[in-house]
Amino acid sequence: MAPYESDDSTEAAQAGEELRDDLRAERRRKAARYVVPVAVVGVAAATIGLVPALADSGDPDLPKITAQQLIDKIAKSDVQQLSGTVKISTDLGLPDLGGLESSLLSGATQGRGDGSSADPAGKLTELASGTHTLRVAVDGPEKQKVSVLESGAEYSLIHNGTDVWGYDSKSDEVYHSTVADSGKADQHETPATPKDFADEVLKSVDDTTSVTVDGTAQVAGRDAYRLVIKPKQSGTTVGAISIAVDAKTGTPLKFTLTPSSGGAAVVDAGYTQVSFAKPAASTFDFTPPKGAKVTEDDKADKAGKSDRVGRADRGGKASEAPGHGSAKDLDKSGFTVLGKGWNSIAVLDTGSKDGLPTGSASGGDLSGFLGSLGDSVSGKFGKGTVFSTRLINALMTDDGKVYVGAVDKAALVKAANAG
């Protein structure tokens, strides 16, 4: 303040400063209305990993690498020891049936097991919807553990030597199976970690696919490259797949699949914490708690192959990723394949000529209930119903054929018309 300034001048200056403060505060409040939504969009885009312009300025500066070199790095990765926490979110866009959809997913596979709630055939299928937190641990081919953390409960699947244990703490039930070769236990068929998802996709990359390296990222405190896989074909429901690959070990740390329709990821699985140190040996120890119900898997093949619980192809050959199987492979399960690459459509002839199944659903007509979940279509094939998710769509025709693929409704109708 200048000397000899009057009190009036001082008060005027103070009032002016207060007014300017009020104006600045008002501008900040208005700006916040726009900044907050933009920030949310930016976080979502960074999570999806497909918008490099919104990438975090703190992304690591790593040596340049080509897509082929990064794929080779994943293939050559030989991580034998690992532990960490994985968060997996799956949003297929299934209709809200008050929790019925989760029960159907679990029940559909439990029928192939022995009815135990600890049977991994049904339990791990629950990962197909919602958000879950998993703890994983690996110590070579003879010791693996996956634990699904629930509210006040936990489900664990443990492979230790020739023993495979499943334990559901909520029901206090135990599932036990054995394998002759301790290093070849088929731990689980349902993808649970970023590596599981990445392996399924990368083995299906062909000339219908674009693969690029799209910058870098940090996942669980680790420097990583971002590998982006996109279909070259139109008509598929797959938009893009982003895989964050650990720069040092080549281990996939995060997997994100976004649909061509946009919006939230269909599958987003990533480590929130990871260590490549040797897990404690006690991690893989398991003794059934006193009083727990124990179910023995009497179908285990003592000659050297466990019963491959959860596998759709009981002939023993792993199914290819959706849209990439060959007709020769799928024929073993009664399927034929139309088209190529991401636009492939699997066709199954059920032999039923009565359209949707009839019966009762909660006291009502099952056919009408199922029909309400789909869209009626017609064509040269006659009439049918299309059941849609954000990734996989299926057309069930009245002549008993089912067309399934990661394609849009128009592609299914076209295939049925040509069939």
Side-chain angles (χ1 to χ4, degrees):
M1 184 184 298
Y4 311 117
E5 225 176 341
S6 69
D7 290 339
D8 288 342
S9 298
T10 303
E11 291 174 359
Q14 291 174 340
E17 185 63 27
E18 290 173 357
L19 179 59
R20 285 191 292 272
D21 287 341
D22 289 341
L23 290 173
R24 282 194 291 266
E26 180 62 19
R27 283 195 296 269
R28 284 194 296 269
R29 284 193 294 271
K30 288 182 178 180
R33 299 173 190 171
Y34 301 98
V35 171
V36 171
V38 170
V40 171
V41 171
V43 169
T47 300
I48 294 173
L50 301 177
V51 187
L54 295 177
D56 189 343
S57 59
D59 286 348
D61 184 14
L62 297 173
K64 298 295 183 182
I65 190 171
T66 68
Q68 187 58 55
Q69 288 172 332
L70 190 51
I71 291 176
D72 291 342
K73 189 177 185 71
I74 297 173
K76 294 176 182 177
S77 178
D78 189 29
V79 172
Q80 295 290 313
Q81 297 167 334
L82 174 151
S83 61
T85 303
V86 174
K87 181 178 180 181
I88 175 172
S89 296
T90 308
D91 180 8
L92 289 172
L94 295 173
D96 184 3
L97 304 178
L100 177 60
E101 65 276 18
S102 295
S103 299
L104 290 173
L105 285 168
S106 179
T109 52
Q110 274 192 345
R112 292 199 295 267
D114 292 313
S116 169
S117 68
D119 185 344
K123 197 64 181 180
L124 290 183
T125 309
E126 295 176 9
L127 300 180
S129 65
T131 298
H132 304 270
T133 299
L134 286 65
R135 281 201 301 259
V136 299
V138 177
D139 185 7
E142 296 188 353
K143 296 181 179 181
Q144 300 97 31
K145 180 177 181 179
V146 177
S147 296
V148 183
L149 309 184
E150 303 171 341
S151 179
E154 179 176 318
Y155 174 78
S156 293
L157 182 61
I158 306 153
H159 166 219
N160 191 347
T162 58
D163 290 304
V164 177
W165 298 95
Y167 176 58
D168 184 2
S169 68
K170 183 183 296 185
S171 63
D172 198 26
E173 291 192 26
V174 176
Y175 177 88
H176 180 235
S177 178
T178 59
V179 288
D181 189 334
S182 62
K184 293 185 179 180
D186 193 10
Q187 186 191 357
H188 57 78
E189 294 299 335
T190 303
T193 68
K195 184 179 186 306
D196 293 334
F197 289 105
D199 286 348
E200 286 298 311
V201 169
L202 290 175
K203 72 183 181 183
S204 305
V205 169
D206 56 22
D207 58 3
T208 67
T209 309
S210 165
V211 185
T212 59
V213 177
D214 189 13
T216 62
Q218 270 222 335
V219 178
R222 305 278 302 187
D223 291 349
Y225 291 101
R226 187 184 290 117
L227 186 71
V228 175
I229 299 169
K230 293 183 179 181
K232 293 180 181 179
Q233 300 165 306
S234 61
T236 176
T237 54
V238 177
I241 295 168
S242 175
I243 305 172
V245 183
D246 185 63
K248 185 174 182 181
T249 68
T251 302
L253 299 176
K254 187 174 176 64
F255 176 97
T256 306
L257 187 156
T258 53
S260 57
S261 59
V266 173
V267 178
D268 189 18
Y271 285 96
T272 57
Q273 181 274 324
V274 66
S275 169
F276 293 97
K278 180 182 176 68
S282 59
T283 302
F284 310 99
D285 292 340
F286 181 79
T287 300
K290 185 177 180 180
K293 177 185 175 182
V294 180
T295 299
E296 292 286 344
D297 179 9
D298 57 4
K299 298 184 299 297
D301 182 352
K302 305 304 180 181
K305 292 183 180 178
S306 66
D307 180 55
R308 300 173 76 80
V309 275
R311 182 178 296 281
D313 180 2
R314 303 297 282 185
K317 180 177 176 60
S319 299
E320 301 292 338
H324 285 73
S326 70
K328 183 178 180 181
D329 289 338
L330 293 176
D331 276 343
K332 296 178 182 179
S333 294
F335 289 90
T336 56
V337 177
L338 304 177
K340 177 184 178 184
W342 300 90
N343 287 349
S344 297
I345 297 174
V347 184
L348 172 65
D349 191 344
T350 65
S352 172
K353 306 299 181 182
D354 301 321
L356 295 175
T358 59
S360 62
S362 301
D365 175 64
L366 180 59
S367 176
F369 171 71
L370 292 176
S372 69
L373 301 178
D375 297 325
S376 297
V377 294
S378 61
K380 295 179 181 179
F381 56 86
K383 294 183 179 180
T385 305
V386 174
F387 299 94
S388 301
T389 73
R390 299 175 67 222
L391 184 64
I392 303 298
N393 294 324
L395 166 60
M396 182 181 294
T397 63
D398 286 350
D399 64 358
K401 290 185 179 179
V402 181
Y403 299 79
V404 182
V407 296
D408 57 29
K409 180 169 69 174
L412 292 176
V413 172
K414 182 179 179 180
N417 279 331

